[in-house]
Amino acid sequence: MRNKSIILTVLLTFLIAGFAFAGDKYEIDLVHSSVGFTAKHLVISNTKGQFKEFTGVIILDEKDISKSSVNVTIKTASISTDNERRDNHLKSADFFDVEKHPEITFKSKSVMKTDDGYKMVGDLTIHGVTKEVTIPFTLVGPVKAMGTRIGLEASLTINRLDYGVSWSKTLDSGGLVVSNEIKITLEIEAVKAEEGTD
């Protein structure tokens, strides 16, 4: 009986410790967040767009940031560049092929503090292809306002060819109609789970 009591005590200790260091769960507030991208058009100008539908969960452990995590899902069919013809082309098999690949996902594998902010390393999946990426980001909060909220800003540049998004045309001058390098910008506001939004 004594051995069973010791084992039970050890198990309870681990369980309590696990809950104590699990971090707080925050859910992305879509109304106050954006997922944008920028591509070079004809080598001379930037074309900007965004995805209007996405969800995500951030687990934040303020005492030990390495125990935090980020998980985001973006609906590819929600892409918008304020041009219906261009949006339809981006949704087609030439680019995102939204029928076959309805989601872009990011799942962090590690989060760490840096000299000028933070960075997360994780798997980014686009067009059915998964690549490990490193994303620098800044974090603000938590603050008490309409619940408990945090703000996260991040950006990274990817090569779309790495993800099999390869359509383009070459100009007479040698440049591309659509650049291979795409800048992705995240401006996220997240609210602690089970607290309100406005």
Side-chain angles (χ1 to χ4, degrees):
M1 290 293 293
R2 184 182 177 187
N3 288 339
K4 288 184 178 179
S5 297
I6 293 173
I7 292 172
L8 182 60
T9 300
V10 171
L11 288 173
L12 286 172
T13 300
F14 275 114
L15 285 172
I16 292 170
F19 283 117
F21 295 102
D24 294 318
K25 179 180 178 181
Y26 290 82
E27 296 174 346
I28 290 178
D29 181 358
L30 182 62
V31 176
H32 299 102
S33 302
S34 66
V35 175
F37 62 88
T38 304
K40 209 74 171 174
H41 181 243
L42 301 177
V43 193
I44 60 172
S45 65
N46 290 322
T47 296
K48 297 180 182 292
Q50 62 179 314
F51 294 94
K52 294 189 173 183
E53 295 180 24
F54 51 92
T55 58
V57 172
I58 300 169
I59 304 297
L60 177 63
D61 190 321
E62 294 181 76
K63 294 182 179 179
D64 185 353
I65 196 69
S66 68
K67 294 178 180 176
S68 302
S69 64
V70 179
N71 192 330
V72 177
T73 299
I74 300 165
K75 299 296 184 181
T76 53
S78 71
I79 194 168
S80 174
T81 62
D82 292 326
N83 182 294
E84 184 177 359
R85 182 178 177 183
R86 181 169 55 211
D87 292 345
N88 288 335
H89 191 196
L90 290 171
K91 294 175 187 179
S92 75
D94 283 344
F95 288 94
F96 287 103
D97 198 357
V98 300
E99 294 295 328
K100 290 184 178 179
H101 307 291
E103 294 179 344
I104 295 171
T105 62
F106 174 79
K107 296 181 179 181
S108 68
K109 296 194 281 190
S110 63
V111 181
M112 60 204 78
K113 184 83 172 68
T114 64
D115 291 338
D116 55 356
Y118 303 89
K119 66 178 180 181
M120 48 188 161
V121 178
D123 289 333
L124 176 63
T125 301
I126 302 174
H127 202 252
V129 178
T130 301
K131 298 285 184 180
E132 184 178 276
V133 296
T134 299
I135 306 177
F137 69 96
T138 58
L139 182 67
V140 179
V143 296
K144 291 283 188 180
M146 295 181 290
T148 303
R149 293 171 178 264
I150 56 173
L152 184 152
E153 293 187 9
S155 65
L156 74 155
T157 299
I158 63 169
N159 188 322
R160 63 189 178 90
L161 300 183
D162 292 340
Y163 297 88
V165 183
S166 56
W167 183 92
S168 192
K169 290 183 179 179
T170 304
L171 301 172
D172 292 340
S173 59
L176 296 175
V177 173
V178 181
S179 63
N180 291 333
E181 288 194 340
I182 307 296
K183 183 178 180 181
I184 301 171
T185 304
L186 308 174
E187 297 183 1
I188 301 299
E189 186 173 310
V191 61
K192 195 171 181 179
E194 300 181 359
E195 296 188 1
T197 62
D198 193 1

